[in-house]
Amino acid sequence: MTARLIIQLAGLLGALSVGIGAFGAHGLRAMLTATNRLETFETAVRYQFYHVLALLAIGILYQVRPELRGLGTVAWLWLGGMLIFSGSLYVLCLTGITKLGAITPIGGLLLIAGWVMVFVVAMRQL
């Protein structure tokens, strides 16, 4: 993954995070509160946004230091983690399909693996 693509994804996912958060807060609040899913939805948005900001930082670092190839792996891990972790929680909240909750930890593991990869890159290449 290139630095440019990482930064573009961060911008796109950042906008999406704000939009999803606003939609949840204003358009879905009554439904999510009635189903006791508001806190779950907010967790999904929060984790997505944290990783969007981290993705942006990684993209900028990769632009400045393109030799840090492991940062592309970090980006892929975080992208997959956001899609699976936050995505499964969004679907759970909006549809009530609780079976999707079984894949949420896989997304969490991908997010963790991305952070471990940041550590590895720092140990080996910085």
Side-chain angles (χ1 to χ4, degrees), residues 8 20 22 47 57 81 89 109:
Q8 288 172 331
I20 290 170
Y47 272 70
L89 291 179
L109 288 173

Side-chain angles (χ1 to χ4, degrees), residues 13 77-90 103 107 111:
L13 291 169
L77 289 166
W78 283 344
L79 180 60
M82 283 186 274
L83 289 172
I84 295 171
F85 182 84
S86 295
S88 65
L89 291 179
Y90 294 142
I103 67 166
L111 296 173

Side-chain angles (χ1 to χ4, degrees), residues 41-59:
F41 192 86
E42 289 173 345
T43 297
V45 173
R46 188 172 49 254
Y47 272 70
Q48 181 178 340
F49 220 129
Y50 291 160
H51 287 87
V52 165
L53 295 174
L55 189 65
L56 179 61
I58 288 296

Side-chain angles (χ1 to χ4, degrees), residues 19-41:
I20 290 170
F23 181 62
H26 301 289
L28 298 176
R29 186 173 204 80
M31 182 193 87
L32 293 172
T33 301
T35 61
N36 294 319
R37 299 275 190 222
L38 183 60
E39 186 175 320
T40 301
F41 192 86

